[in-house]
Amino acid sequence: MVKKGLKLTKEQLFSLNKPSLKDAIVIFNGGCTGEVVSPQGLIFTNHHCGYGVIAGASTVEHNYLQNGFYAKSLAEEIPGNTQGLYVEFLTKIEDVTRLVLDSLQGLTGQERATRQNEIINAINTRMSNREKYLRASVGSLFKGNQFLLFVYSRYTDVRLVGTPPEALGKFGGDTDNWEWPRHTVDYSVFRVYGAADGSPADYNTNNKPLKPKWYLPVSLKGIKEGDFSLIYGYPGSTNRYESSLGVQFSTDIHNPTLVKLRDMRLKFMFEEMKKDPATKLQLASRYASVANYWKFYKGETEQLLKYDVYGQKRKQEEAFLKWAQGKPDYQNIFNDLKASYDAWRPYAMHRMYINEGILGSPLLAFASTLQDVETALTKPGTSTDAIQRVVASANRARQNFLKGENKTADQNIIAAVLQMYYNDIPKDQQPQGLYDAIKNEYGALDKASSYQKYAEAIVKNTIIFDDRKWSDFVQRPNANMLQQDLAYNLASTIVRNYNGKYLPLYQQFTTKNNEWGRLYLKGIMEMNPNKFMYPDATSTMRLSYGKVASYKPRDAVQYDYVTTMTGMLAKYIPGDYEFDLPPDFLKAAKAKDFGPYKDAKKNDLIIGFITTDDITGGNSGSPVINANGELIGLAFDGNYEALSHKLAFDKDLNRTICVDIRAVLWCIDKLGGAQNIIKELTLKK
């Protein structure tokens, strides 16, 4: 990194014993990354990372999602504890490989997997029980060939400080998602609080802003092509040591089925969201979650096929097999893997239909959870107290479910997915008698109207939507009442059919695939003992370095390394769902009063830029840092031409899309009028 331009020492980058840059990096709410940017615990992350909290704090009267929000004082900051918001700081890493592997000697397959989980859970529990706000997590790296213990300090008093209007934070919507050029100002601002001594504490008005061990200064100096860039964060998962069979499985079954089912769900949600602001607010977070990976897996399939990743993997495997000849531990692992895929492939689409289709209906997903209630009611010897506990739990879950439920969208999803399931899943895998009953009651199975009538009856008659009937059920739980409910009957019938016949097959497939992966990686490391290898992403802290760089995605097309306000205004479409802009933003942008945030070279406000850094899901909100350790942007996306990155990294085409920190500060300062936030930062000019 020093050769590439880094000006920091390795101790400044990472030290477990002294304050270092890593102490400014947090896990944000379990699925994103954030960074501390002030001596008072101010956190920057992406808008889409704070989306659920922002939406949850919003009402039609105070629509922070639509209009934006900035706290002008600590007293105005909005607590996130009611929505379970938290951040975690890494405090310790310990290599426990020997401890785990010594306990697995001679074990293989499911026996090994079970024992490994027992050991890991024991280590995690022992460490986590030492303190209330401590979380321990053993990470399995290199597919079970290395184990590291990560210990985190969790802060649960985290408050919303600022967010741009959704029109800026999601500018471009699904059309621009995973695309470059990009003009999305994707940020939100939070603050971490703790007890007076700086330790984690539950939300309390007496808590104090956290005084961090390290925080990032913010650069106003701008960027140019070729500049060194560094990204810290918590990437969620990659599978770059996947087999050629796994790649083929993704392009043949997994990805196309997921995309097809999510496409259907998005269509029906979007139809309702367009109708009024309250519905849009209600469904916004769910829609964004479904849409994000709908487009990702669509793009992943295209790139895997375009660059023949299957063929690349085959060549690597052929070289491994030559080396493995005469080595009993390795020479047959690909034959075993193929047999495993051949056994599971006929049922793989069924699993996707359960997870992305049947349980893609919020009503059916909730109804399926009531199987625990039925079990308690029908199992001999279950105590009255036990029944009351499980019913009370279901009652609480129902209240949460109803808050986000849109009956019309859900009814349309149920009708569509039932017809798709009937057409796409082999008839001998479908629950016996289900479709005969639908035909007898609601009409021919080749007509959409039959499924629409059935879905309408489900929504109209289920006790889940009827407060009076549900209240009666809670007060006098009755198994027959539950079993005869149309929503519960449908969900439990399909899920039990899958769980009873096909889930065990999937579990066997997963166990064999995991065993293959462990042996393959072990063999690869033996075959190349001097080769430096990095492990797949596992939601543990990673550092990636690269440079600011333009790229050429295809013949005769060259993409610049930055986007500007001029380009953003060129995309503006009045009243459009994805490309509209707020009036105050338009006025300020057209006035070109960019002040200290203007880029001297472009004579414009830079909105976004791209780097060659390697990121994946979980890196959202990660700081993009220059050679001096200063914040220059927030990572928030990848480019479409390299969406194969979970399975194969493309060093030539891969780009990380970042919002320029100067665009963030301009929005906070000029649009939000929150100079209090700007004054809190350490600005480097």
Side-chain angles (χ1 to χ4, degrees):
M1 285 189 284
V2 170
K3 290 179 181 178
K4 299 289 185 181
L6 180 67
K7 300 295 193 298
L8 303 178
T9 66
K10 60 182 180 181
E11 288 77 18
Q12 288 175 307
L13 272 183
F14 187 95
S15 174
L16 281 175
N17 301 314
K18 298 179 181 179
S20 62
L21 198 151
K22 77 106 171 83
D23 294 309
I25 316 303
V26 300
I27 297 175
F28 186 86
N29 214 27
C32 284
T33 300
E35 51 277 353
V36 187
V37 293
S38 88
Q40 297 183 66
L42 205 64
I43 297 280
F44 281 177
T45 188
N46 285 157
H47 178 267
H48 70 263
C49 294
Y51 198 87
V53 175
I54 299 164
S58 297
T59 63
V60 174
E61 294 77 21
H62 299 285
N63 196 333
Y64 305 129
L65 195 65
Q66 178 177 312
N67 303 319
F69 164 81
Y70 293 97
K72 304 300 170 58
S73 67
L74 296 182
E76 293 181 5
E77 295 174 0
I78 299 173
N81 62 301
T82 56
Q83 297 175 68
L85 179 60
Y86 67 90
V87 301
E88 292 179 327
F89 291 85
L90 178 65
T91 61
K92 179 180 181 180
I93 302 177
E94 181 181 335
D95 193 332
V96 293
T97 303
R98 199 73 271 146
L99 175 63
V100 176
L101 292 184
D102 283 352
S103 300
L104 302 176
Q105 293 292 330
L107 301 180
T108 59
Q110 186 57 50
E111 189 179 10
R112 182 187 181 94
T114 300
R115 179 59 178 151
Q116 178 177 303
N117 288 335
E118 291 172 352
I119 298 164
I120 288 175
N121 289 338
I123 296 172
N124 291 342
T125 301
R126 185 171 68 250
M127 291 295 297
S128 297
N129 286 344
R130 292 181 181 180
E131 296 179 27
K132 178 181 178 181
Y133 297 100
L134 206 64
R135 181 177 73 90
S137 176
V138 173
S140 172
L141 307 180
F142 295 110
K143 296 187 181 293
N145 285 287
Q146 183 185 27
F147 298 88
L148 298 180
L149 169 65
F150 298 86
V151 181
Y152 304 94
S153 183
R154 176 177 290 197
Y155 284 77
T156 56
D157 187 353
V158 184
R159 307 180 194 180
L160 175 64
V161 177
T163 174
E166 182 183 27
L168 304 184
K170 286 192 68 179
F171 183 76
D174 295 325
T175 298
D176 275 6
N177 192 21
W178 303 107
E179 302 283 356
W180 183 258
R182 194 73 171 273
H183 299 81
T184 311
V185 195
D186 196 346
Y187 74 92
S188 55
V189 187
F190 293 81
R191 192 185 305 278
V192 185
Y193 284 77
D197 63 358
S199 62
D202 291 339
Y203 171 78
N204 190 301
T205 55
N206 294 323
N207 285 348
K208 305 297 181 184
L210 178 69
K211 297 186 183 303
K213 295 179 181 178
W214 194 283
Y215 68 91
L216 298 178
V218 178
S219 173
L220 293 180
K221 292 174 283 190
I223 55 171
K224 63 181 184 300
E225 180 134 22
D227 277 357
F228 177 86
S229 62
L230 175 120
I231 293 180
Y232 247 117
Y234 288 89
S237 65
T238 56
N239 192 14
R240 292 179 183 170
Y241 302 105
E242 175 65 286
S243 67
S244 60
L245 289 168
V247 171
Q248 186 179 53
F249 178 80
S250 293
T251 56
D252 287 357
I253 298 177
H254 179 277
N255 293 9
T257 309
L258 180 148
V259 168
K260 179 180 180 180
L261 289 166
R262 289 200 171 198
D263 192 44
M264 175 270 295
R265 290 158 59 193
L266 289 169
K267 170 189 171 185
F268 292 123
M269 281 192 281
F270 188 66
E271 285 179 358
E272 300 310 308
M273 290 170 71
K274 290 188 297 183
K275 293 179 180 179
D276 71 68
T279 302
K280 180 183 177 184
L281 192 61
Q282 178 194 42
L283 294 177
S285 184
R286 180 182 299 160
Y287 183 90
S289 176
V290 174
N292 191 37
Y293 275 94
W294 161 78
K295 189 167 185 178
F296 174 87
Y297 282 112
K298 181 175 179 289
E300 181 185 72
T301 301
E302 291 179 13
Q303 306 314 317
L304 290 173
L305 294 172
K306 181 177 180 180
Y307 297 106
D308 189 23
V309 173
Y310 170 81
Q312 295 177 37
K313 295 283 186 182
R314 285 289 300 148
K315 290 180 181 178
Q316 296 167 6
E317 291 163 2
E318 287 167 3
F320 177 84
L321 287 171
K322 288 181 180 179
W323 171 84
Q325 290 302 312
K327 298 178 175 64
D329 286 348
Y330 307 117
Q331 63 184 8
N332 293 316
I333 63 173
F334 279 95
N335 291 333
D336 294 341
L337 182 66
K338 185 178 184 306
S340 179
Y341 269 98
D342 288 345
W344 170 243
R345 181 174 276 266
Y347 313 105
M349 186 180 291
H350 196 154
R351 176 176 179 271
M352 295 304 299
Y353 260 85
I354 296 296
N355 293 335
E356 293 288 340
I358 302 302
L359 301 183
S361 155
L363 173 60
L364 297 184
F366 172 73
S368 71
T369 66
L370 300 179
Q371 291 178 84
D372 291 339
V373 177
E374 184 190 8
T375 299
L377 292 172
T378 56
K379 184 178 180 180
T382 305
S383 68
T384 301
D385 285 346
I387 292 173
Q388 289 177 342
R389 282 195 300 271
V390 73
V391 170
S393 177
N395 191 40
R396 290 191 296 271
R398 174 182 178 263
Q399 293 170 7
N400 289 329
F401 156 71
L402 290 177
K403 291 177 184 177
E405 173 66 348
N406 182 277
K407 292 182 183 179
T408 304
D410 207 346
Q411 180 175 310
N412 288 331
I413 289 171
I414 292 170
V417 77
L418 284 174
Q419 186 171 17
M420 294 165 71
Y421 182 93
Y422 177 74
N423 290 332
D424 292 350
I425 301 304
K427 299 298 183 286
D428 62 352
Q429 293 181 28
Q430 296 173 11
Q432 188 173 4
L434 171 64
Y435 282 93
D436 288 338
I438 295 174
K439 179 181 178 180
N440 293 336
E441 186 73 22
Y442 301 100
L445 298 176
D446 61 346
K447 292 184 178 180
S449 60
S450 303
Y451 302 97
Q452 290 164 356
K453 291 175 184 176
Y454 181 32
E456 182 180 0
I458 290 172
V459 170
K460 182 179 179 180
N461 296 303
T462 179
I463 64 171
I464 295 170
F465 288 142
D466 190 315
D467 289 341
R468 183 185 60 79
K469 290 181 180 178
W470 178 265
S471 179
D472 289 345
F473 175 73
V474 169
Q475 293 174 26
R476 293 176 292 278
N478 181 286
N480 288 333
M481 186 177 184
L482 182 60
Q483 292 164 344
Q484 292 171 10
D485 184 83
L486 286 179
Y488 178 73
N489 181 271
L490 174 63
S492 61
T493 295
I494 294 179
V495 171
R496 280 179 174 152
N497 173 67
Y498 171 79
N499 287 348
K501 298 177 181 178
Y502 308 112
L503 179 60
L505 300 179
Y506 176 70
Q507 292 169 334
Q508 293 170 23
F509 165 73
T510 301
T511 298
K512 292 176 181 177
N513 204 6
N514 290 343
E515 181 73 0
W516 169 87
R518 179 182 68 83
L519 289 172
Y520 181 52
L521 261 292
K522 183 181 178 183
I524 287 290
M525 289 186 282
E526 288 182 19
M527 186 173 79
N528 304 289
N530 298 319
K531 182 180 179 180
F532 179 78
M533 297 172 60
Y534 61 87
D536 274 312
T538 55
S539 295
T540 50
M541 181 178 278
R542 304 296 172 94
L543 183 156
S544 171
Y545 65 93
K547 63 181 179 180
V548 176
S550 57
Y551 73 108
K552 187 176 181 178
R554 54 190 178 275
D555 186 45
V557 176
Q558 178 76 33
Y559 283 150
D560 200 358
Y561 64 95
V562 293
T563 55
T564 64
M565 179 64 80
T566 300
M568 188 173 188
L569 293 177
K571 284 185 175 179
Y572 164 58
I573 303 174
D576 186 79
Y577 190 80
E578 298 178 313
F579 293 98
D580 198 6
L581 287 168
D584 58 340
F585 178 88
L586 286 168
K587 182 179 179 181
K590 290 176 180 177
K592 297 187 177 181
D593 179 19
F594 301 137
Y597 313 117
K598 182 172 69 174
D599 186 81
K601 183 177 179 181
K602 295 289 186 180
N603 194 33
D604 207 341
L605 183 68
I606 302 299
I607 301 298
F609 65 93
I610 48 176
T611 75
T612 61
D613 295 84
D614 182 7
I615 69 165
T616 191
N619 273 120
S620 290
S622 283
V624 190
I625 301 167
N626 66 15
N628 298 312
E630 301 160 353
L631 186 66
I632 56 175
L634 311 179
F636 71 91
D637 213 351
N639 60 322
Y640 197 81
E641 297 87 0
L643 283 187
S644 60
H645 71 258
K646 281 186 176 289
L647 296 174
F649 181 74
D650 189 318
K651 63 180 180 61
D652 298 316
L653 288 176
N654 183 84
R655 292 296 183 273
T656 290
I657 301 174
C658 319
V659 58
D660 193 295
I661 199 62
R662 294 169 294 174
V664 171
L665 299 184
W666 182 78
C667 288
I668 293 172
D669 187 352
K670 300 296 183 179
L671 296 180
Q675 287 80 24
N676 56 305
I677 296 176
I678 303 296
K679 290 176 182 178
E680 195 175 320
L681 307 173
T682 300
L683 301 177
K684 297 292 184 178
K685 300 181 180 179

